[in-house]
Every structure is written in C-alpha cells, then in structure tokens.
C-alpha cells in the first residue's frame, strides 16, 4: 500500500510539472532570416507540449538583441555573432544553426556564377553593368538589407564591403529583398538560403552552389550563424529553457534541416 501511495504521489508530481510546462510561454524576437527555422521549431515544440504559447516577432537581428537585453522577450534571434559590446552588456550567444547567404538574381539573368571578388566589386560600384560579368548590357541594381540586419552584417563582413555598398534599395526583411529581386531583371540581392523561393535564382560563388551540404562542409564561403541570444545572469523560465534545450539538441537537427539550415549539433565541429 505504501508503495502504491508513493507511486501515485510521484505521478501527481510528474503531472503537475508537465502541466506547469504546458501552461507556460516562450517569446522570441529578432532575425527575419530565421523565420522558417524558428517557426518550424516552435510549431513542433508546441505540438509536443500542448498549451504552450510560442511567439516569434520578426524585427531583425539588432532589434531582437535589444529586446532580450531589455527583458522584452525570452530569447533573442540573431543571424550574426554578438559584438564585443553586446557580450560585455551581459548577453550570451548560442549557435543554433548555420545558414548560407545566397546571392540572388532574377531567373532570366544569364549570370550563374560570381567570384567573391566580383560580388564585392558589384556592391561597391566598381562593376556597374551586368555585361562586365557575362550578363546583359544593363545597369546593375543593388538590393540589400537595412543597417542593423544580421544578414547585411554577415554579407558585408564576408565580402569585405562594410560601409562601402552602394545600395539602390535597403529593405527591412529577407522576404522584401527576394520580392524586389524577383521583380527586376537587372537586380542583385542577398538572402538567407533557408528562405529562398523559386521566384529568384541563386548564383554559385566561385563554382560552389549554396546548399545544405556545401554550408555544412564549409565549401560555400558566404555563410553565417543563426544564434540564440540570452542574458547571462537571468535564467530562462522552465518552459523557455525546455525549448532552448530542445532546439539546440541533436533531436531538432532534422527540423532545422527541413527548414533549409544546418543544425550546429549536426556539423563536423560538433561531432
């Protein structure tokens, strides 16, 4: 009888713990490039934890970092590494996944491959016409992201074009960049590989096509991390911690892969 009571008490405690998690919430804020990845993870997590309220606010990396620092969300989302000043302010970064930054053009553009050097020359205005890189005789229209974007930071850092790009348009989301390029045969832009649509064409870079495989093996050079940002001295709630642990585990790698990125738990460095 005592054993049965002990089992029942343990069951009640377990159910109580599960109910507490099921009634919790997880709020995320930041990178628009991470929409597919974080959306897929959130959907799976809430299916497995009925009653949990999961939210994602697509404001951009810089805004997401500020949101977690100011306590306006549980987890910030950044598609770039934290800066020294951000780390010194008490923030911690955990790499969730790796994503290629695809260089995109209109599907009718005959250019299918560019060198990293020529990409930099295009964005700084040194190469201004598509015919200089094997395309049509047309002025190149430069599309990019707004200041503070993690995608822009990653692209400019990798190409060595920080503060030197001659943008025609600076847009506030990955989706907007894809739409703008899809509507202009002379445009070029950059966007998260995880967010690509067939309305644009991703060119290869120095002969390497952007893909999950080439991001994973490092041969595609234009890539950056997807980062979860938390506060060092402020513990997550039980529910938010459960989501964090799940998202960064090997169990979530297949979900991240289906969303078009490479889980940090599934890269050679992690193995």
């Amino acid at each position: 009888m005592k054993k049965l009571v002990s089992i029942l008490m343990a069951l009640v405690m377990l159910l109580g713990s599960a109910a507490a998690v099921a009634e919790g919430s997880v709020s995320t804020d930041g990178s628009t490039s991470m929409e597919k990845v974080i959306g897929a993870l959130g959907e799976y997590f809430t299916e497995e934890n009925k009653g949990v309220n999961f939210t994602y606010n697509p404001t951009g990396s810089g805004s997401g970092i500020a949101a977690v620092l100011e306590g306006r969300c549980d987890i910030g989302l950044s598609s770039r590494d934290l800066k020294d000043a951000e780390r010194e302010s008490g923030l911690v970064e955990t790499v969730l996944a790796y994503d290629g930054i695809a260089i995109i053009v209109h599907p009718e553009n005959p250019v299918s491959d560019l060198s990293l050097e020529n990409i930099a020359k295009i964005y700084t205005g040194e190469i201004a016409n598509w015919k200089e890189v094997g395309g049509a005789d047309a002025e190149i229209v430069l599309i990019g992201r707004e200041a503070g974007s993690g995608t822009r930071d990653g692209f400019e850092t990798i190409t060595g074009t920080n503060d030197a790009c001659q943008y025609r348009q600076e847009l506030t989301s990955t989706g907007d960049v894809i739409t703008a390029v899809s509507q202009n045969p002379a445009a070029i832009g950059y966007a998260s590989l995880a967010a690509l649509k067939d309305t644009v064409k991703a060119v290869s870079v120095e002969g390497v096509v952007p893909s999950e495989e080439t991001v994973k093996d490092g041969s595609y050079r234009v890539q950056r991390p997807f980062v979860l940002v938390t506060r060092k001295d402020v513990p997550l709630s039980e529910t938010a911690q459960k989501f964090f642990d799940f998202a960064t585990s090997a169990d979530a790698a297949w979900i991240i892969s289906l969303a078009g990125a490479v889980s940090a738990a599934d890269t050679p460095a992690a193995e």
Side-chain angles (χ1 to χ4, degrees), residues 184-262:
N184 189 334
I188 187 171
Y190 49 80
S192 166
L193 178 60
L196 282 194
K197 300 177 181 178
D198 57 10
T199 55
V200 293
K201 180 176 75 174
V203 303
S204 57
V205 177
E206 298 179 353
V208 180
V209 176
S211 69
E212 181 180 342
E213 292 72 25
T214 57
V215 169
K216 184 174 181 178
D217 66 23
S219 58
Y220 185 71
R221 295 172 61 188
V222 193
Q223 60 171 281
R224 44 65 189 281
F226 280 168
V227 174
L228 301 182
V229 183
T230 53
R231 288 184 288 175
K232 183 187 301 182
D233 300 323
V234 181
L236 292 172
S237 68
E238 180 183 356
T239 309
Q241 185 65 57
K242 185 174 181 180
F243 171 77
F244 183 96
D245 292 342
F246 158 69
T248 55
S249 72
D251 293 337
W254 67 274
I255 300 171
I256 292 171
S257 177
L258 287 176
V262 178

